[in-house]
Amino acid sequence: MGNRNLQKRVYNCLRGGAMWNARLLAARCGTSQQAVRQAVAALRCSGCAVWDIPGFGWLLPKAAPPLNAAAIRQWLPAGAPWRIFTYTELDSTMDEAQRLAELGCEEYTVVFSESQRAGCGRLARPWYSPAGEGIWMTVLLRPKLPLEQATLFPLLAAVAVAEALHGLGFDVGIKWPNDILAADSAHWRRKLCGIRAEMAAGVSGMDWLSLGIGVNVNQRPEDFSPDVRPIAASLFNVLGRPVRRSELAVQIIRALDRMYSVFPQ
């Protein structure tokens, strides 16, 4: 069987959406497992986004559906005051949240973007924000608190994200003041999430405060640049399969809602 013909047959099997391993593809295509592995490698070299899931096989993922504001609101508690804004691309969700705050937007506002052109973390470090691969969000709040208590909010956000991830079955830890790290043995202490806070002062305290949250969800190891690959991970890396971003987004907002509602003000 010619190499191109085998690649086409392998691709046609994978594009059905099911997961295939070398044994099953070899049986379906009437060839050896080694030939199948070579065909998959050739497909990936040609730009085909075949995911290699260790211990399971290969998967050709469908394009991730964009986060939908109406769908997220639907799964929040009845009467929850949250306003959700979703964008295809922004310079950063932090910049957009600041713009909304300066226009007088109320608190309990969340900005999501499928990708960011200039996302950054703490100390203005660049944050890689590819389209459809993670959760890139900023939460706008207006706590009635003195300025010195602003330092508590990155920890509040970190605990909320950790709680959301624990609820979905992930073993994670918090590195003070703003990182969520994988706690499983294979990805020990690799960064899954970063949190950044900004605020503006009012007459008697905070005018507004924004919490930027970036979660690596479905990136593969090779999606990270060589300089961050040894220290970063995604939920896909940890779990071995894609994660539904919308479900995680809802759980993060729910956790933030619970914690902020009992925060002393």
Side-chain angles (χ1 to χ4, degrees):
M1 183 182 295
N3 288 342
R4 290 187 180 277
N5 189 29
L6 178 57
Q7 290 173 33
K8 184 176 179 180
R9 294 193 65 182
V10 168
Y11 176 79
N12 286 336
C13 291
L14 291 172
R15 74 175 184 174
M19 191 176 299
W20 292 76
N21 59 28
R23 180 180 61 82
L24 292 174
L25 281 171
R28 173 61 65 89
C29 297
T31 189
S32 68
Q33 294 187 33
Q34 180 60 26
V36 164
R37 293 189 183 95
Q38 292 172 350
V40 171
L43 285 171
R44 298 180 76 178
C45 286
S46 68
C48 188
V50 179
W51 288 7
D52 185 358
I53 304 178
F56 294 92
W58 297 293
L59 179 69
L60 186 63
K62 299 178 181 178
L67 294 172
N68 180 278
I72 292 172
R73 286 192 205 97
Q74 178 183 349
W75 293 104
L76 294 177
W82 295 93
R83 284 163 293 280
I84 312 296
F85 294 88
T86 56
Y87 299 83
T88 301
E89 187 178 55
L90 291 170
D91 283 339
S92 80
T93 58
M94 293 289 281
D95 289 348
E96 179 63 10
Q98 178 177 341
R99 187 185 72 84
L100 292 172
E102 291 172 350
L103 288 174
C105 190
E106 297 179 15
E107 66 173 349
Y108 294 99
T109 293
V110 188
V111 176
F112 289 97
S113 185
E114 288 299 301
S115 67
Q116 299 182 111
R117 292 182 290 266
C120 61
R122 188 166 168 261
L123 303 178
R125 297 187 181 102
W127 186 275
Y128 177 54
S129 314
E133 299 291 344
I135 291 178
W136 324 124
M137 62 184 287
T138 295
V139 179
L140 173 63
L141 301 172
R142 294 186 182 273
K144 298 178 178 61
L145 292 169
L147 300 180
E148 58 269 22
Q149 294 199 30
T151 56
L152 298 174
F153 282 85
L155 182 59
L156 178 145
V159 172
V161 174
E163 180 181 301
L165 291 172
H166 278 304
L168 295 175
F170 292 98
D171 189 11
V172 298
I174 298 173
K175 178 185 175 183
W176 174 263
N178 68 327
D179 291 343
I180 305 294
L181 306 180
D184 68 305
S185 58
H187 304 91
W188 175 249
R189 294 188 65 79
R190 291 195 180 186
K191 187 170 179 175
L192 293 168
C193 169
I195 295 164
R196 175 186 169 198
E198 290 184 352
M199 70 159 188
V203 175
S204 58
M206 285 180 261
D207 181 21
W208 57 265
L209 179 139
S210 63
L211 294 167
I213 300 170
V215 187
N216 297 326
V217 181
N218 284 326
Q219 295 99 318
R220 296 168 297 169
E222 59 267 30
D223 291 331
F224 294 106
S225 61
D227 58 321
V228 302
R229 198 173 297 158
I231 59 173
S234 71
L235 302 181
F236 170 82
N237 300 155
V238 174
L239 193 61
R241 61 171 174 80
V243 174
R244 292 180 60 186
R245 294 183 304 139
S246 57
E247 180 179 359
L248 177 56
V250 167
Q251 294 306 319
I252 291 173
I253 296 173
R254 281 176 171 264
L256 282 168
D257 185 80
R258 286 193 296 272
M259 292 181 186
Y260 188 57
S261 66
V262 298
F263 201 85
Q265 295 189 54

